[in-house]
Amino acid sequence: MSSAPAPTRHHAPGVRASLALLVIACILPVAVVTAFLIVHFYQRERAQLIDHTISRARAIIAATDRDIASTQLALQMLSTSTMLLKQDLRGFHQRATGLVDQLGADSIVLLDTDGTLLLSTRRPYGAPLARLGRAPLLQRILASGRPGVSDMFIGPLNGRPIFSVGVPVRRAGATVMTLNAIFTPQRLQHVLSEQKLPANWRASVLDTEGRVATRSRELDTYAGRQVSAALRQQLASASESGLATRSLDGQDVYLVYSRSTRTGWSAVLGIPSEELTASLYRTLAWLVSVTLAALGAGLALAWLLGGRIADSVQALVAPARAVGAGASLAIPPLHFREANELGHALRDAALSVRQARADMRESEQRLALAANAAHLGIWTRELSDSRIWCSEQWRALFGFAPEQQLSLADLLAKVHPDDRAAVRDTLNHTQHGAPRYDMEYRLLLAGGEQRWIGSHGSIEHDAQGRPLRVRGVSLDITQRKQAELEVQQKQKEVTHLARVAMLGELSGALAHELNQPLTAILSNAQAARRFLARPAPDLAEVAEILDDIVDEDKRAGDIIERLRRLFGKQDMPRQPVDAGALVDGVIRLVRNDLIHHGLTVRTELGEQALTLSADPVQLQQVLINLLMNACDAQAAPQLSDGVIVLRCARDGDAVLFSVIDHGPGIVQETLPRIFDPFFTTKTRGMGLGLSICRSIAGAHHGTLWAHNNPDGGASFHLRLPLAEAAP
Ligand code: ADP
């Protein structure tokens, strides 16, 4: 029987899928780590760029501060002009006009403390001038007495956004006027261009209110425009910082600024967001491309290699199956050394299997030949499902068709109804313990034919000791059984013939056997008559004598019945017989004879109750015969002490009855013949008693023998099996 095949993993991945997984497992982590490093590097780069940009913003605002400061210095020098001291405003106008270009200003104006325009280089001297009013810068200069710079405002003369740098004009320590240089946004553009910023960057200088004082791009459009409130709030909260926002021209930028502590103005640089992230995206795109390319190449390789491995393995599947089936192999050359080695191993295995199968076939043939020659049917019965495998010989034996599926029920159905229960019991018993069994039973075949089967089975166990199956052989023992039955029949007939042959002689035996009870009845009757003839007869004694007469009469009837059976062919009925009770009964029956002979019997019984399976009257007959012979032997009282011993004891699995007398013993030469029929040394003897006794002992599977006692007299022993040991 082969062991159960290992369960197949239906969802196990193929070689290609496994290799593809391997490729992915190798490449993806590398790609992820690289992406992480790239992002990390990008963040560092970005931080550096922002730091660098903040430095540039700082440089721009510093340049702006310097510009304003140098303007203020020039204005302060102009404010100390003697022409102004001498109220020579014409000359001062001329001087100031000369300075306008040097300062790169739009104009220079002189205001009194009320904000009245006293002079403007934009107007010819003496032309009427507007009153500007007390602008915030004027107020600041008057309040602090220090130079200042205005926020962006719309110029009253040119209507365009401008800013002004102003200084106080002092007379005797008091500010009496302010001298201002008016600048257009273009004036500061150089502080941006000097930084040589990338063309797509946004750069601006904002006043304290977040209005554009100058700008690198589209200055005309955005000059004086105020940036968003969010940005203004950010500008107010920290002197330097960066934030992602949208520029005035709608560009997404990362904005970096630096605020001047002197003027409160800020330089703002906007790096287009896309520029900031472009390199990252480019690098990441590169990484993705490389990863995809590596994955593609790896997967293609995995596909190719996986296919080759799968092909090699697949190419070995059919040969491996062929090994199991014992067929020959054709293994093509394979792609891999290991696969080729496996192919060689399979080829070797196939050779071994073929050889083993051939050996097995041969041994099976030998076994089948032997089984056929011996008319043996071979079978195996699985205990799990009662399936039966059997040889053709067995099928023929049991009368099953060659292809018929067989079960235990089919088998039992064939068994003779009288034997079926016993067969079922034996089979069940085997299943539950006994390692092997032998049984004989009959089959009832179609047409009523009976066939005797001898079956030998032995059980096989698994590793845990659980019964697995029973194997065995069955053979037709009908001839042997018939021969046995014939022998038994013949024996019966022989016995019968022997008995018939003996019938003539045994009629004498009948007289012999009946002689004893009849004699006893006669002597009892005579005794009764004597008792009754007395003048005062003892009626109790008479009644006892009459009871004895009745017992003797019954025994005579029994003897006749037993002899009738003995001469007929019936088997004697057996019944449990207590050995002690048997001895007591015998003593009661022979008591009168003994008294008559002046003898006594000493019984020696063991304490243990011993039970025989026997015909009690026949055993009585034997013991009475032996006691009567002992009685005859001790008839001359001078020869003995007048005591006969009747002993009953256990002897192994048997009961041993012994009758021991103290007579003259048996003449040594006659000892071998005393059990022969008609051997007697007595003048009135028949010589049948011991012969009948021995045949009764034999019928009870017992033995009867005699020997002389060392101290005189003879002993007769009857050994009978105990009931439990009796066959
Ligand atoms: P019968 O009593 O009619 O002679 P048996 O078959 O009973 O026939 O006995 C055969 C012979 O065995 C006897 O004749 C006798 O010689 C001898 N025999 C039997 N029992 C005893 C005994 N207890 N002592 C001596 N001899 C005996």
Side-chain angles (χ1 to χ4, degrees), residues 5 40 52 71 105 117 125 131 141 173 207 250 262 300 346 364 422 431 471 479 502 507 518 533 545 583 674 676 694:
H40 180 69
H52 182 61
T71 303
L117 257 181
Y125 180 74
R131 182 175 174 273
I141 294 171
D207 67 12
R262 280 185 61 197
L346 277 177
E364 271 174 1
Q431 197 159 332
R471 286 183 200 281
Q479 280 188 351
M502 285 173 74
S507 56
L518 288 175
I545 291 171
V583 168
I674 56 171
D676 292 349
R694 189 167 253 187

Side-chain angles (χ1 to χ4, degrees), residues 309-320 330-334 346:
I309 295 172
D311 286 349
S312 298
V313 174
Q314 291 285 352
L316 291 174
V317 170
I331 299 177
L334 302 167
L346 277 177

Side-chain angles (χ1 to χ4, degrees), residues 27-28 30-31 34 38 282-298:
I27 290 178
L28 276 190
V30 174
T34 310
I38 287 171
R282 256 198 321 277
T283 316
L284 286 178
W286 170 84
L287 174 68
V288 169
S289 316
V290 169
T291 304
L292 285 178
L295 267 179

